Amino acid sequence: MTDSRERHLVELVDDAGLPIGSETVEVAHQRPGQLHRAFSVVLMDPDGRVLLQRRAAVKTRFPMRWANTCCGHPAPGEELAISANRRLKEELGATPVALAEIGVYVYYAEDPATGRVEWEYDHVLLGRVSGDEPLLPDPDEVAELDWVDPEVLPRAIRAEPTLYSPWLAGVINQVAAFQRSGAVGAAAAPADADGDAAERSGGR
């Protein structure tokens, strides 16, 4: 549940991403914010479409906005893939996916609707899936899902920015850069089951 996760610990980091302590999710996202480690998962199907989620109305930050497949915070010292797959299961009911880190995106944004802030050292994780996997979104986390051609997103975000999370453009830019590098084929196959003043971006 969203309320209980506000009491979870996040790992505070310096500008180089080195750990410097911990704080609760709730406190780290209060103004002026504290830089902390996060992840943004993007799942991609064989046609190159990416899975977007519309964040639930009860979210404490940027509710009802379209974002990448899944976001979250690893616990202090926790491996990103473990934390990310846990959130994929909790939010979407997804089975484990092999995830490749394709970049880091540091951003700052203030939510005019809730007064919370995001200041995150965001690891972008890409997973390749068939697109036919059964999903069971948690309505307390996800209002809607949609498979989208990522090439149309930059223009759509520029046209109606308040429909999208402020970090989505940067995350999609990371995916596009990774694809241009020719490395997208190595990103991963499905894993084994065992295994503006009010809103400004600094660079998620």
Side-chain angles (χ1 to χ4, degrees):
M1 296 290 290
T2 299
D3 288 343
S4 65
R5 288 201 301 112
E6 292 291 293
R7 297 190 291 271
H8 290 182
L9 290 178
V10 297
E11 185 172 72
L12 304 180
V13 299
D14 63 16
D15 290 342
L18 298 176
I20 58 172
S22 63
E23 190 50 270
T24 64
V25 170
E26 181 179 18
V27 171
H29 291 86
Q30 292 176 358
R31 288 192 178 104
Q34 299 181 65
L35 182 62
H36 57 276
R37 195 177 312 283
F39 58 80
S40 287
V41 176
V42 178
L43 296 185
M44 179 179 288
D45 73 4
D47 294 326
R49 298 181 305 167
V50 297
L51 182 62
L52 301 187
Q53 68 155 273
R54 192 179 185 199
R55 295 163 63 81
V58 296
K59 288 282 195 177
T60 60
R61 299 174 301 281
F62 300 101
M64 298 305 291
R65 297 209 195 188
W66 286 98
N68 50 284
T69 310
C70 176
C71 295
H73 309 96
E78 184 178 34
E79 292 184 17
L80 289 168
I82 292 175
S83 180
N85 267 297
R86 183 175 64 248
R87 289 304 296 153
L88 281 169
K89 181 178 181 180
E90 292 171 348
E91 292 194 13
L92 305 179
T95 57
V97 176
L99 299 169
E101 182 173 349
I102 61 172
V104 173
Y105 176 42
V106 179
Y107 82 99
Y108 181 91
E110 300 176 359
D111 184 357
T114 68
R116 303 293 183 91
V117 302
E118 298 268 12
W119 188 15
E120 308 208 341
Y121 191 93
D122 191 33
H123 300 261
V124 181
L125 308 174
L126 179 63
R128 301 283 277 182
V129 296
S130 71
D132 297 322
E133 291 81 2
L135 298 175
L136 188 63
D138 180 348
D140 287 335
E141 300 283 357
V142 180
E144 194 174 350
L145 294 172
D146 194 17
W147 287 97
V148 177
D149 180 349
E151 293 187 2
V152 309
L153 282 172
R155 180 177 297 179
I157 293 170
R158 288 194 298 270
E160 296 185 277
T162 59
L163 297 182
Y164 301 89
S165 69
W167 61 84
L168 181 59
V171 170
I172 294 301
N173 285 342
Q174 292 282 338
V175 173
F178 187 69
Q179 290 181 290
R180 288 194 298 270
S181 76
V184 71
D192 186 270
D194 295 328
D196 336 332
E199 182 176 314
R200 59 185 185 276
S201 172
R204 167 181 183 280

